Amino acid sequence: MAGSATSYAEFYRRSIEQPQEFWAEQARLIDWQTPPRQVCDDSRPPFTRWFVGGTTNLCHNAVDRHLKDRASQTALICVSTETDTEKTYTFAELHAEVQRTAAMLQALGVRRGDRVLIYMPMIPEAAFAMLACARIGAIHSVVFGGFASVSLASRIEDAQPKVIVSADGGSRAGKVIPYKPLLDEAVRLSSHKPQAVLLADRGLAPMDRVPGRDHDWAPMREKHLHAQVPCAWLDSTEISYTIYTSGTTGRPKGVQRDTGGYAVALAASMKHIFEGSAGETYFSTSDIGWVVGHSYIVYGPLIAGMATIMYEGLPIRPDAGIWWSLVEKYKVTVMFSAPTAVRVLKKQDPAFLKKYDLSSLRGLFLAGEPLDEPTARWIADGLGVPIVDNYWQTESGWPMITLANGVEPQRAKFGSPGVPMYGYKIKILHESTGEELTKPNEKGVVVIEGPTPPGFMQTVWRDDERFVNTYWKSIPGKQVYSTFDWGIRDEDGYYYILGRTDDVINVAGHRLGTREIEESISSHPGVAEVAVVGVADPMKGQVAMAFAVPKDSAVVGDANAAMKLEGDVMKLVDQQLGAVARPARVRFVTLLPKTRSGKLLRRAIQAVCEGRDAGDLTTIEDPAALEQIKALVKQ
Ligand code: AMP
């Protein structure tokens, strides 16, 4: 409890030793239609069910329950520096818009349990659509607007949405990105076809409508202007949404989340970690296409009765003061961003940090990638508020390691996100023996012992087997959840995250699978084979580097031909996956470093690119392959 004498150590201990009591208490932070019968059902590990027998609704908790006390308080603030628009909605207005959207989705045939895929820029309609789905018990699956047709198609194929909600386009740095052609191409590529497409027209890009399938938002909204759509009372364990994330295969995984556990986890985190209170303003600079956007642009702040800012645009446009001007204008108390964004701001004039009144701000939370000390110090000094690093994953839905300053203010240590959050039994295990590493600073794999806390993924959408095999069977002899991150714990119990154990890379806080990028590049007719690795980058944390074997080996020695093919390959990745997945460079070689059994030596390639020792190369088939890469990197 904030301000009470509870120590965090005691709070944490109770969450682990008396989880039923602990979480029953947290469950009181939200409204239930029917109170839960059982707090935690862990009878079929690793599948954990929270608040069994309880019925509730995310939209009710985010919107309706605030109408009594704060109907005229601002709930949603949408700022776009791309279109120069700023729109705010009170809780009452948000309630009306969500009901209209819910009625529109129902008119298009959406029922409880149906999937609705949302492929949208950061506009108010995106939040309305998410909340409307939650309201009627439809499962939303938001796909990041920066993804292109092939990425989108694989998600449509897997989610099988009845309806897709989209828009004419997004905009980045003033450049319009038409969404509709990407969407149409994705639907063409997918064997599953949606029954209807609902389109918000921002007047940014022309749209071809498919007669009978495509519907315009504005006229439909008019038809449902006075709609009243009650919240469907869902079982706590009913699915609220799926969100796709990259893994080691080319096929993205649908991370599936429940309803009640997620609502409780978010409400508890708003109190104990973020310390956000009703009536205040929360500003997360993320995107609704990422898990941070789900948890801390839309649901978390609204559940806490806060106003939330949705921002479309860059942090440095029109100038590097834009975010701070919003903090001043809307009296933001809690802000959430990523280290990459801070590194971008750090290159700008520091005077922007002093130009605005930031006295409302109490803390800045940063997540998504390792937070380096110079970046943390720069922003801490500039803002004069605590900077709180927090470590989590799409799978967890809320921070796993950070400091719960709302329980007890704790000392931050540079380079460490902090200590395990309540409910998380985090351990460091030896990667191959599975033995627990208990001595300080021993490097191993960061794992979670079940049962996982509320809010954590339930399973992989329609693939329990993949959930178990991917996450719970990677450590020999132990059924524990692997984060696929390396880590150490110091003598004070603080954790340090040291990068991924798998082929997932993290570019500017965005998680990308190297296999997906490799598949895209290999689909170019001029490419025979390719390896993609993540290479350390001072701005973005990591960037993707591709090494490809061209079908025409003459390309390797011909600078002009190589440049042309590199450009073509990049264009192809842009079209298929989106610019977010475009490698920084595509270099051409005559062969790739592989083991004698044909396995790509990605780690060795990465080491060479980062100027490190390539490690044990006894299994390499032809050392000349690595020499070629070494020579290219030196150029
Ligand atoms: P995502 O699922 O896209 O949120 O990516 C999760 C991955 O990002 C984690 O497995 C880590 O590798 C990395 N990550 C997230 N937060 C942090 C952090 N605070 N410090 C270090 N790495 C982080």
Side-chain angles (χ1 to χ4, degrees):
M1 267 168 288
S4 82
T6 313
S7 73
Y8 182 70
E10 170 59 15
F11 189 80
Y12 177 77
R13 192 194 56 71
R14 229 162 55 77
S15 78
I16 301 299
E17 291 175 9
Q18 298 157 328
Q20 308 279 342
E21 290 82 351
F22 179 90
W23 287 108
E25 211 171 276
Q26 305 306 319
R28 288 199 276 278
L29 293 169
I30 68 156
D31 276 3
W32 295 89
Q33 170 72 3
T34 322
R37 231 183 16 254
Q38 186 187 2
V39 174
C40 178
D41 170 13
D42 188 33
S43 57
R44 200 168 66 94
F47 302 94
T48 311
R49 299 162 77 229
W50 284 98
F51 309 114
V52 182
T55 60
T56 186
N57 183 288
L58 269 175
C59 183
H60 166 85
N61 278 287
V63 183
D64 299 46
R65 76 162 169 157
H66 301 304
L67 296 176
K68 190 163 71 64
D69 296 330
R70 48 191 77 253
S72 57
Q73 179 205 300
T74 302
L76 182 64
I77 301 160
C78 294
V79 179
S80 171
T81 49
E82 295 290 334
T83 57
D84 275 330
T85 49
E86 210 159 313
K87 270 185 174 171
T88 63
Y89 299 84
T90 63
F91 274 101
E93 287 163 344
L94 181 60
H95 183 237
E97 290 295 352
V98 170
Q99 292 196 87
R100 288 167 192 146
T101 313
M104 287 151 66
L105 292 175
Q106 283 177 333
L108 295 175
V110 177
R111 302 285 173 264
R112 185 165 167 169
D114 286 342
R115 271 81 56 217
V116 173
L117 189 138
I118 300 173
Y119 179 59
M120 293 186 101
M122 292 283 284
I123 54 175
E125 288 83 353
F128 303 158
M130 290 169 75
L131 290 161
C133 287
R135 189 169 193 86
I136 60 177
I139 300 166
H140 63 64
S141 194
V142 183
V143 176
F144 175 54
F147 283 134
S149 49
V150 171
S151 308
L152 183 54
S154 63
R155 287 151 173 88
I156 295 173
E157 192 88 62
D158 194 69
Q160 306 206 334
K162 193 175 247 184
V163 169
I164 295 181
V165 187
S166 191
D168 57 338
S171 178
R172 194 174 156 79
K175 190 171 159 264
V176 171
I177 302 147
Y179 279 20
K180 187 64 182 2
L182 297 174
L183 173 61
D184 286 342
E185 173 63 6
V187 172
R188 194 187 64 77
L189 291 171
S190 162
S191 66
H192 172 85
K193 312 289 177 197
Q195 197 171 288
V197 174
L198 177 60
L199 295 158
D201 191 352
R202 313 173 70 191
L204 288 182
M207 281 195 282
D208 289 331
R209 274 86 169 168
V210 176
R213 187 198 73 179
D214 294 356
H215 303 261
D216 273 81
W217 190 289
M220 263 201 109
R221 176 181 174 275
E222 280 303 309
K223 268 196 211 150
H224 296 280
L225 212 52
H226 306 290
Q228 291 194 345
V229 179
C231 288
W233 296 113
L234 307 183
D235 284 338
S236 174
T237 55
E238 235 169 296
I239 308 167
S240 59
Y241 70 80
T242 63
I243 178 167
Y244 287 88
T245 189
S246 302
T248 47
T249 68
R251 200 162 56 94
K253 290 185 289 274
V255 167
Q256 176 184 314
R257 229 177 287 291
D258 72 354
T259 296
Y262 186 50
V264 171
L266 292 183
S269 73
M270 291 305 298
K271 182 175 173 189
H272 307 306
I273 301 172
F274 298 99
E275 299 181 84
S277 302
E280 298 177 349
T281 306
Y282 196 102
F283 179 18
S284 163
T285 67
S286 183
D287 187 285
I288 48 147
W290 307 116
V291 68
V292 177
H294 285 60
S295 294
Y296 298 113
I297 294 177
V298 181
Y299 294 113
L302 292 176
I303 286 174
M306 298 178 81
T308 182
I309 299 181
M310 255 176 101
Y311 175 78
E312 180 187 50
L314 300 180
I316 50 168
R317 228 172 144 260
D319 61 44
I322 177 64
W323 284 357
W324 315 121
S325 76
L326 295 176
V327 171
E328 177 183 281
K329 181 167 179 184
Y330 293 106
K331 299 199 169 33
V332 171
T333 55
V334 188
M335 195 164 163
F336 193 134
S337 193
T340 297
V342 178
R343 288 195 287 266
V344 168
L345 293 172
K346 196 166 149 229
K347 285 178 76 182
Q348 309 289 318
D349 186 349
F352 283 115
L353 279 170
K354 302 279 168 240
K355 199 173 154 194
Y356 298 95
D357 175 8
L358 306 180
S359 57
S360 60
L361 197 63
R362 285 197 304 265
L364 171 67
F365 294 80
L366 297 173
E369 56 182 311
L371 173 61
D372 55 285
E373 187 165 338
T375 303
R377 278 197 196 282
W378 179 80
I379 194 72
D381 292 347
L383 293 178
V385 298
I387 306 301
V388 186
D389 186 2
N390 56 124
Y391 162 75
W392 48 303
Q393 305 181 310
T394 307
E395 289 84 346
S396 69
W398 60 284
M400 296 190 276
I401 298 179
T402 185
L403 299 174
N405 288 327
V407 180
E408 180 195 19
Q410 279 173 297
R411 179 169 70 100
K413 288 193 188 189
F414 282 113
S416 165
V419 299
M421 281 302 93
Y422 45 93
Y424 279 104
K425 276 187 258 180
I426 297 188
K427 304 242 153 99
I428 304 233
L429 302 189
H430 189 281
E431 65 171 318
S432 46
T433 64
E435 175 203 352
E436 186 176 352
L437 304 177
T438 48
K439 286 201 215 88
N441 305 319
E442 281 185 301
K443 181 176 165 182
V445 183
V446 181
V447 305
I448 306 167
E449 238 176 43
T452 46
F456 203 87
M457 77 185 289
Q458 290 180 295
T459 184
V460 172
W461 165 250
R462 282 199 173 146
D463 205 342
D464 285 351
E465 212 176 290
R466 194 170 177 202
F467 174 61
V468 176
N469 290 338
T470 307
Y471 293 107
W472 295 86
K473 283 199 173 159
S474 71
I475 306 283
K478 296 239 165 91
Q479 197 184 52
V480 288
Y481 170 92
S482 175
T483 62
F484 296 103
D485 279 310
W486 296 111
I488 54 170
R489 185 182 47 237
D490 72 9
E491 49 292 339
D492 299 325
Y494 281 62
Y495 283 70
Y496 295 76
I497 303 298
L498 307 173
R500 299 278 304 192
T501 65
D502 58 9
D503 294 331
V504 166
I505 63 173
N506 193 319
V507 178
H510 300 153
R511 177 162 155 191
L512 300 168
T514 48
R515 296 283 165 84
E516 273 171 283
I517 307 175
E518 284 171 2
E519 277 175 23
S520 174
I521 295 177
S522 316
S523 73
H524 190 285
V527 172
E529 225 189 338
V530 63
V532 171
V533 297
V535 175
D537 178 82
M539 281 302 282
K540 297 181 170 178
Q542 276 187 315
V543 291
M545 276 295 179
F547 293 93
V549 178
K551 286 212 177 121
D552 174 4
S553 57
V555 169
V556 178
D558 179 343
N560 285 334
M563 204 155 65
K564 159 108 185 39
L565 188 54
E566 177 172 22
D568 289 351
V569 166
M570 286 191 177
K571 232 181 267 160
L572 182 76
V573 175
D574 279 9
Q575 278 162 11
Q576 294 193 344
L577 306 181
V580 65
R582 184 199 306 151
R585 288 297 312 263
V586 184
R587 315 297 298 262
F588 297 100
V589 288
T590 55
L591 78 166
L592 290 169
K594 288 186 188 166
T595 62
R596 273 176 224 109
S597 55
K599 230 176 140 244
L600 264 176
L601 287 162
R602 287 196 185 76
R603 296 269 146 82
I605 303 177
Q606 185 189 43
V608 164
C609 290
E610 293 180 349
R612 290 184 284 113
D613 183 54
D616 179 13
L617 291 174
T618 46
T619 58
I620 194 165
E621 193 183 14
D622 186 348
L626 214 53
E627 291 307 317
Q628 275 193 48
I629 292 178
K630 247 185 220 163
L632 279 175
V633 172
K634 273 205 199 112
Q635 277 172 22

